Amino acid sequence: MEKIPLPVGCVTCYFVRHSERIDHIDDTWAQRAQTPYDPPLTNDGHMQAQRTGALIHTLEQNAASSTQRTEYLVLTSPFLRCVQTSEELCRGFHRQHAQMQSSLNTEWQVAVEPGLCEVMSENYFAEPVPDSLIDQRISDIASKKVCGNMAYDTTYTQVKQELPTYPENFQDMMARFVGTLDYTTSKQIDEILAQADGETGVRKVVVMVTHGAGVGSLLWATTRQPGAHTVPYCCLTQAQIVARTSQPLSMFGTTRIPAYQWTVNYRAYSEHPPNL
């Protein structure tokens, strides 16, 4: 397919796996929980995410341009562990900003994206997870029960309005993540073109907070390298858009072949959080 060049760095994505979850260190948690399919983070998990947020700030200091306005959007899986990770990423970013006294924009917005949710595998879930999880999480964020340090982006249109059909196979899961990345990227580029103001312009940064299989799928979409990827808790991948193919938007989500080309500078980087 024809390649359509794009301004280097106009869209940067960070892919983050959620931090350490409580049921992986407490075997009895699920037996006591009302929603055993939706565990929260551990205390160490909260700290992991703050360190990752500080790293994002450091990377952004190197990437941001004085001639561009940078806008930050966090897209999170509706599962609680991802939403809590999102909140701590923002907190770590803000703390690093205060220490460094940088000129970066510190206003982050957040939105729930069901397209980033966990693979709906029978190996993970004994029964389907209710779609009500999506509205519950949006309500939690809107009421500041979680992600109180970010405003909910009410203008964001979800790629998926429901959870994947259960059970979900691996191929469908990969197509879902590739489609979510392609669709989201297209929307960001459309907004850049609509907001372009002389030589100043807009730079879009999207932080996608998801699960292990999701990070692996996003790595495939941006590197086109097959095979298993090691994706530790709160690992970070930085990807910058380079070009897109002439593939129409209507094909997004129906194929595992990504519509964009990316430069990936970090791949599931995890040396910043403590080893747990």
Side-chain angles (χ1 to χ4, degrees):
M1 286 186 178
E2 177 188 358
K3 302 297 181 183
I4 304 171
L6 296 168
V8 175
C10 68
V11 176
T12 297
C13 286
Y14 293 100
F15 311 137
V16 181
R17 185 189 176 190
H18 62 78
S19 302
E20 183 182 61
R21 48 192 282 183
I22 188 67
D23 57 334
H24 280 192
I25 67 166
D26 182 354
D27 293 338
T28 67
W29 179 87
Q31 301 170 15
R32 307 188 307 271
Q34 292 183 337
T35 54
Y37 54 82
D38 195 24
L41 298 182
T42 64
N43 290 335
D44 284 333
H46 285 272
M47 294 304 299
Q48 282 180 328
Q50 288 182 32
R51 289 183 174 90
T52 303
L55 175 60
I56 291 175
H57 185 279
T58 299
L59 296 177
E60 281 297 291
Q61 278 193 299
N62 297 331
S65 168
S66 60
T67 62
Q68 288 180 309
R69 182 175 74 257
T70 302
E71 297 179 355
Y72 294 94
L73 174 63
V74 178
L75 297 181
T76 177
S77 160
F79 284 88
L80 181 58
R81 55 192 179 274
C82 291
V83 178
Q84 289 181 329
T85 297
S86 300
E87 179 176 35
E88 299 297 354
L89 290 173
C90 186
R91 180 168 289 113
F93 186 96
H94 284 169
R95 286 182 177 174
Q96 187 73 1
H97 175 82
Q99 292 177 6
M100 302 299 295
Q101 298 183 342
S102 72
S103 59
L104 291 177
N105 175 22
T106 58
E107 294 183 7
W108 285 25
Q109 290 189 301
V110 62
V112 171
E113 176 48 69
L116 296 175
C117 82
E118 179 69 278
V119 56
M120 291 290 116
S121 168
E122 293 171 306
N123 294 328
Y124 295 165
F125 303 102
E127 58 185 15
V129 176
D131 284 333
S132 59
L133 176 70
I134 300 170
D135 289 338
Q136 178 62 55
R137 205 58 71 223
I138 293 174
S139 175
D140 290 344
I141 297 174
S143 63
K144 303 297 185 180
K145 288 183 179 179
V146 68
C147 288
N149 50 8
M150 290 181 276
Y152 195 89
D153 186 353
T154 57
T155 67
Y156 177 77
T157 301
Q158 296 172 335
V159 180
K160 301 289 185 181
Q161 282 72 48
E162 65 282 320
L163 298 178
T165 301
Y166 176 88
E168 181 183 35
N169 63 45
F170 185 78
Q171 289 75 20
D172 288 343
M173 181 271 297
M174 285 193 66
R176 167 165 62 88
F177 274 94
V178 171
T180 298
L181 177 62
D182 285 349
Y183 189 90
T184 301
T185 302
S186 291
K187 292 302 183 183
Q188 299 305 309
I189 292 173
D190 287 345
E191 291 183 11
I192 288 172
L193 296 176
Q195 297 180 39
D197 180 17
E199 297 182 356
T200 302
V202 180
R203 174 175 170 266
K204 294 281 191 173
V205 174
V206 181
V207 182
M208 295 187 170
V209 184
T210 183
H211 307 263
V215 172
S217 297
L218 293 169
L219 280 169
W220 153 252
T222 50
T223 67
R224 299 295 299 275
Q225 294 181 355
H229 296 276
T230 300
V231 286
Y233 283 133
C234 232
C235 62
L236 179 76
T237 297
Q238 182 196 55
Q240 293 182 317
I241 196 167
V242 176
R244 66 153 292 178
T245 69
S246 55
Q247 176 175 291
L249 186 64
S250 60
M251 291 182 62
F252 292 172
T254 63
T255 173
R256 285 175 287 153
I257 304 302
Y260 290 92
Q261 289 185 332
W262 300 81
T263 296
V264 178
N265 302 314
Y266 287 80
R267 301 186 186 188
Y269 181 80
S270 62
E271 294 184 17
H272 50 292
N275 294 320
L276 300 175

